[in-house]
Amino acid sequence: MAKVRSFAAKLAHQSSSEGKVLCPKCKSEVKKIKLIRARKSKANSWTPKYEYVSICKCNEDDIRSGKI
C-alpha cells in the first residue's frame, strides 16, 4: 500500500535543503547526471562510455554542449 502524503507535505519536502549540495560559486544545487558518450573500442567499433558528472549552473552549458 502506498504512503499517503498531503500536498503540503510534498511541498515541505521539496523546499527543504537537507541533503542538498550547493555550489559555492553560483549558489545553485549541484546534481549528478549520467553522461553516455561514444568511444572507439579496440575492434574499431563504437561502444558507449558511461560516467557520472556533477552539474550546476556554472558548467551546465559546457556539459550539455559536449565541451567537457
Side-chain angles (χ1 to χ4, degrees):
M1 196 166 178
K3 185 177 178 181
V4 179
R5 290 177 59 187
S6 67
F7 182 70
K10 289 179 184 178
L11 284 178
H13 179 72
Q14 287 178 352
S15 64
S16 73
S17 62
E18 183 178 334
K20 294 181 181 177
V21 179
L22 297 178
C23 176
K25 193 174 183 183
C26 65
K27 307 294 186 228
S28 66
E29 182 181 359
V30 176
K31 299 176 185 175
K32 289 232 182 226
I33 61 167
K34 184 177 185 179
L35 285 182
I36 303 171
R37 297 183 183 175
R39 67 179 173 103
K40 245 184 179 169
S41 67
K42 293 179 183 176
N44 207 17
S45 63
W46 293 98
T47 58
K49 179 183 177 189
Y50 303 100
E51 59 184 281
Y52 288 91
V53 178
S54 298
I55 187 170
C56 68
K57 293 291 178 188
C58 301
N59 60 1
E60 182 178 25
D61 293 335
D62 293 338
I63 290 174
R64 293 187 187 223
S65 67
K67 291 181 182 176
I68 294 179

